[in-house]
Amino acid sequence: MGVLTDYFRAPDDEAVIRLLDRTRGHSPIVGRKPSFDGVEAKGVDPGVVLGSLVATIRGVPWDVQQVKVSQVWPPASEQEPDPSEDDPFQDGPWAFALDDPTRDTLAGVAPADVTALVVTFVERTEELRGGGADEWRPVVEDLIGLARTARDADQHLYCWACL
């Protein structure tokens, strides 16, 4: 079972909550009229894969806390305290806010540095073994571009995910 992840930019948590409440949690970047600007990035979870990318950019060892996230949707009060087969949120969808330092780290990558960054990122990320730098370069470029646009618009980055 794979994790579907989309990254998007939005002005604030409230805008994300309103949209996901209205759409019953559908991804805000897919469909005929996407609600927010974003990037489809299947399997790029914030903690491991995106965290490895951010650690690579920062030149530090990977740590699961490299990217700080907070759940925005569904609100914690709507979740079952003891998940069961009937739990509507067991497989998602969920939306998480990413910390602004992560956005700024991604946004700060110079275009001339992307090729070397992707090679190093793929080599040091165990979860990407079997995939080459050519496969990951467009995803990394899209994430960097999204982060740059979000930073320049004084917006935040979010991750939408489901199983």
Side-chain angles (χ1 to χ4, degrees):
M1 172 181 341
V3 178
L4 298 177
T5 49
D6 295 335
Y7 288 84
F8 62 97
R9 63 185 178 100
D12 55 41
D13 294 358
E14 290 76 25
V16 174
I17 293 167
R18 280 192 306 273
L19 174 72
L20 294 176
D21 282 347
R22 190 175 72 244
T23 65
R24 297 182 187 164
H26 289 135
S27 172
I29 70 163
V30 297
R32 291 188 321 188
K33 290 185 173 182
S35 301
F36 292 122
D37 178 29
V39 173
E40 290 184 52
K42 182 179 179 181
V44 180
D45 67 290
V48 177
V49 179
L50 186 67
S52 180
L53 176 60
V54 171
T56 301
I57 295 166
R58 292 176 177 162
V60 300
W62 171 82
D63 179 287
V64 73
Q65 295 298 317
Q66 193 70 233
V67 174
K68 302 210 179 353
V69 298
S70 58
Q71 185 170 327
V72 173
W73 194 91
S77 61
E78 292 183 21
Q79 294 186 44
E80 299 286 326
D82 183 20
S84 69
E85 291 293 322
D86 298 328
D87 179 9
F89 300 112
Q90 184 173 344
D91 295 332
W94 308 279
F96 303 95
L98 280 60
D99 63 316
D100 287 343
T102 293
R103 175 201 64 195
D104 296 344
T105 295
L106 291 165
V109 175
D113 297 337
V114 172
T115 299
L117 167 66
V118 173
V119 169
T120 304
F121 165 59
V122 170
E123 287 174 354
R124 74 181 271 183
T125 307
E126 183 176 328
E127 291 74 12
L128 304 183
R129 301 260 161 73
D134 291 341
E135 175 186 340
W136 283 98
R137 183 183 174 118
V139 175
V140 171
E141 287 175 329
D142 288 348
L143 288 169
I144 290 168
L146 179 67
R148 193 172 290 127
T149 303
R151 180 197 61 197
D152 294 349
D154 197 26
Q155 293 187 332
H156 309 283
L157 287 181
Y158 294 86
C159 176
W160 174 92
C162 74
L163 300 180

